[in-house]
Amino acid sequence: MDPVNHVEGKAYPFGRKNVDTDVIIPAHWLKTISRIGLGRGAFEALRAEPGNLFDDPAYAGSPILIAGDNFGCGSSREHAAWALGDMGIKAVIAPSFSDIFSGNAFKNGILTVVLPQEAIDRLMEVAKTDEIHVDLENQTVTTPFQDRFSFEIDPFRKQCLMGGLDEIGMTMAMDAQISNYEQRAAAAWPWQAGGANA
Amino acid sequence: MLKALGMASRPRTLYEKIWDAHVVDQRADGTCLVFIDRHLVHEVTSPQAFEGLRVAGRKVRRPDLTLAVPDHNLPTTPRKDAAGNRLPIADPESAQQLAALEQNAPAFGIRYIGATDREQGIVHVVGPEQGFSLPGTTIVCGDSHTACHGGLGALAFGIGTSEVEHVLATQTLLLTPSKTMEVRVEGALGPGVTAKDLALEIIRRIGAAGGTGHVIEYTGSTIRALSVEGRLTVSNMSIEGGARAGLIAPDDVTFAYLKGRPMAPKGADWDAAVSYWRTLVTDPGATYDRTVLIDAAEIAPNVTWGTSPEDVVPITGVVPDPMDFADPSKQEAARKSLAYMGLEPGMRMQDVAVENIFIGSCTNSRIEDLRAAAAVLKGRKKAPGVKWAIVVPGSGLVKEQAEAEGLDRVFKDAGLEWREPGCSACLGMNPDKVPPGERSASTSNRNFVGRQGPGARTHLVSPAMAAAAAVTGRLSDVREMGGDA
């Protein structure tokens, strides 16, 4: 994963609530065995509407998406994060995210920034004309009009994003602790050992 | 160590007990490395994870704790010809994805239940049915309805493909603890009111984002009175209320369900397991971050009117007016939903005609669900206006059981199709789809825009209510159907 720190540029003023992952990427796109190329299917049903936001030349290539409450609810499909990444999105700003989606976005270097609805309303206005700047290190979202909104982020996620760290490699380095746990668990709950081979 | 063995003295919730028992390591920032006891793998969210392992030259750490089953993509039409030969999958992309799992599972030493094996089914039906899913375990799958297994008292949740790869490689996940929410339901459910109606009621009350950041524990006399099948239905839809996982404390009902299942503990192991499982209850004095109380007597058979699972009304109700919602953004969402659904405010739900019936999905495809639908359909015929009506058992074993009870005959005599197990019309990625602009009464879990196919209009209901709609050709109150219902 490439390190992430600043995301700066135009933003799609989307603003919709309860955007589910079926809306972000419909199921028929999930038959792929690859992670790339899903941007073509992103927001497919919305893009079928003439004059839709995502095909408006004013926002083409925007790296930021501004959304409403509960963004990414529904299915666990990581294809939703892959699709957003493939269409060039590097940060999504919303009042809340589904837990699974925000985890998937993070694993793909896409920032999920939680801000209160008032801040979202203001950013929706700004996005119509101007650029927005997300600064991960300082945990702020700023605009050319002196707006400055601070956001919280899990410190571990921040470290991984800024360092572009390979989480699996980090965990594999903890092999001794995992082996130790496995021995303790085998002694405490021997009936679980069989698993799929029981 | 004491904590890891579940011996801490502070009163703890069921969630905290299972969490504590699985912490391998805790980082200074609070992130925990959590051990995963059971990993279910299906064809859609795994190919990229296996590819990632291959590229990095990594193995699966614990193939013995991993079980692979195809379900999402598989057509539900017959899989073998008269001579017993496997029939090809018509869609080349689906065929490629299914072939990838069939090759990846043995290549990485993972037990694979194949498309034509009698145990094949939806992962969330197969796990409990095989005794692979056990109380007190952590269970993950690259599918959000993994929450289902919480009905057995397991901490079970959906993960993305990167996490699938992480679990395959390390048998762990990096997680932060969730908040806890108690949903306590007391009293008896009325006639014709099922676990599905209860699940929809809970989502209506807490909202589609109400459980975000939480694990829900379902408690109270109503929950205790549910069968395991009903508990799996309630826990399954935790994710529709925003909660990544649901939990129901295991009890004698759970143990009776699990005993003798192929992968469940046996002999002395069984006895030791049961005595441990009996400790998996929330201690007196333990506190939840939030509690929601529901009176079971207030719940009617429910139906959805919109495109979010929180858009629920009793079948006796009417389509709401968007202006009735206080929140302006919900007013806007409701307007869009009604336009998509082709409904007008004030319409009686019972006047809404449906052309399609789907009885199936990981929410409602277990034997009890099929019995409930068959009880309504027995001796009746589907209405002429119903063009497509399918019953899709959750697994090959559910199918065998239903056939042994003659339920398949009831469905076929009523004019419904009896299919092979799989996810089917729940999600529009196999041939079972609802046509654009048409309506379905569906026992699945999501009424999202395009979920059952582009332009499809979904009304979520219980199996008995779907059967009632099949008979009348419109959304109907199963309590007015008479007979066994």
Side-chain angles (χ1 to χ4, degrees), chain B residues 81-378:
Chain B
D81 65 15
N85 301 310
R86 261 178 84 173
L87 291 165
I89 308 282
D91 178 65
E93 284 186 298
S94 292
Q96 181 190 36
Q97 204 170 53
L98 288 158
L101 184 62
E102 196 166 320
Q103 288 152 14
N104 283 327
F108 287 91
I110 294 167
R111 170 122 181 235
Y112 176 68
I113 297 177
T116 55
D117 292 335
R118 64 186 280 264
E119 298 89 353
Q120 181 273 336
I122 305 170
V123 285
H124 309 310
V125 175
V126 171
E129 184 176 80
Q130 290 298 317
F132 182 67
S133 310
L134 296 174
T137 57
T138 47
I139 304 177
V140 297
C141 174
D143 188 281
S144 61
H145 289 106
T146 310
C148 194
H149 309 256
L152 294 171
L155 178 59
F157 50 91
I159 57 178
T161 299
S162 294
E163 289 175 310
V164 169
E165 186 177 339
H166 195 281
V167 175
L168 289 172
T170 70
Q171 205 57 36
T172 64
L173 278 175
L174 284 155
L175 298 169
T176 48
S178 299
K179 287 186 279 194
T180 54
M181 181 191 298
E182 178 189 27
V183 173
R184 193 194 311 160
V185 194
E186 299 286 359
L189 293 169
V193 182
T194 67
K196 178 62 164 288
D197 302 298
L198 171 56
L200 291 169
E201 183 74 16
I202 293 167
I203 299 158
R204 181 178 79 78
R205 303 248 186 134
I206 70 174
T212 303
H214 292 75
V215 167
I216 297 176
E217 183 181 346
Y218 301 95
T219 67
S221 58
T222 317
I223 301 294
R224 298 259 71 85
L226 291 175
S227 65
V228 165
E229 284 86 348
R231 295 175 187 189
L232 293 168
T233 298
V234 169
S235 198
N236 176 280
M237 291 191 72
S238 301
I239 186 70
E240 274 64 50
R244 204 166 177 183
L247 277 171
I248 294 172
D251 59 12
D252 287 327
V253 175
T254 321
F255 310 146
Y257 172 91
L258 285 170
K259 190 160 191 181
R261 303 235 167 226
M263 298 179 193
K266 293 169 187 68
D269 270 350
W270 171 261
D271 297 334
V274 170
S275 46
Y276 174 68
W277 293 342
R278 288 193 192 283
T279 69
L280 297 175
V281 292
T282 291
D283 294 327
T287 54
Y288 301 92
D289 293 294
R290 187 181 163 197
T291 292
V292 175
L293 300 176
I294 295 178
D295 178 356
E298 292 174 1
I299 306 172
N302 277 320
V303 56
T304 60
W305 54 267
T307 58
S308 167
E310 70 185 21
D311 298 341
V312 173
V313 285
I315 183 62
T316 51
V318 299
V319 176
D321 188 324
M323 294 310 288
D324 293 346
F325 296 99
D327 173 3
S329 67
K330 183 67 192 176
Q331 292 172 3
E332 179 60 20
R335 267 191 290 274
K336 287 201 167 101
S337 284
L338 293 187
Y340 179 82
M341 293 296 290
L343 296 173
E344 297 291 335
M347 258 178 104
R348 283 165 25 103
M349 292 310 298
Q350 293 181 76
D351 292 338
V352 175
V354 294
E355 301 88 9
N356 302 277
I357 305 291
F358 171 52
I359 298 173
S361 88
C362 59
T363 310
N364 280 132
S365 64
R366 286 167 282 269
I367 189 68
E368 184 180 289
D369 302 314
L370 303 187
R371 286 178 189 145
V376 176
L377 287 162
K378 196 171 174 66

Side-chain angles (χ1 to χ4, degrees), chain A residues 16-18 20-23 26-28 30-35 45 69-70 73-79 82 96-100 103-104 107-108 154-157 159 166-172 174-175 177-182 184-185 188-198, chain B residues 1 4-5 21-22 24-25 27 29 31 33 35 37-38 44 47-48 58 61-62 64 66 73 91 93-94 96-97 111 132 137 142-144 158-163 165-166 169-170 172 174 176 208-209 212-213 244 263 265 269 272-273 276-277 310 327 329 336 427-429 446 448 451:
Chain A
R16 198 177 287 194
K17 277 183 80 158
N18 287 327
D20 57 72
T21 53
D22 282 79
V23 165
H28 69 93
L30 272 52
K31 296 178 186 176
T32 176
I33 56 170
S34 163
R35 295 178 199 238
D69 251 329
N70 203 23
C73 60
S75 151
S76 66
R77 59 189 70 166
E78 194 160 322
H79 309 67
W82 297 335
S96 67
F97 292 88
S98 100
D99 296 331
I100 301 179
N104 285 340
K107 308 276 191 224
N108 290 278
D154 178 83
F156 176 69
R157 282 191 179 180
Q159 182 197 343
D166 167 18
E167 222 183 79
I168 295 177
M170 284 167 55
T171 302
M172 288 184 78
M174 299 186 64
D175 179 64
Q177 287 97 318
I178 300 171
S179 297
N180 181 272
Y181 176 88
E182 285 173 323
R184 280 188 286 140
W189 308 292
W191 60 85
Q192 283 178 198
N197 299 332
Chain B
M1 183 71 184
L5 291 173
H22 289 85
V24 172
D25 188 62
R27 297 167 49 89
D29 58 28
T31 306
L33 190 65
F35 194 79
D37 296 315
R38 299 286 187 262
V44 178
Q48 294 88 348
R58 290 166 176 159
R61 183 182 178 95
R62 295 292 303 271
D64 57 319
T66 313
N73 251 323
D91 178 65
E93 284 186 298
S94 292
Q96 181 190 36
Q97 204 170 53
R111 170 122 181 235
F132 182 67
T137 57
D143 188 281
S144 61
I159 57 178
T161 299
S162 294
E163 289 175 310
E165 186 177 339
H166 195 281
T170 70
T172 64
L174 284 155
T176 48
T212 303
R244 204 166 177 183
M263 298 179 193
D269 270 350
Y276 174 68
W277 293 342
E310 70 185 21
D327 173 3
S329 67
K336 287 201 167 101
L427 86 164
M429 75 174 297
R446 289 190 175 133
F448 295 160
R451 173 78 179 182

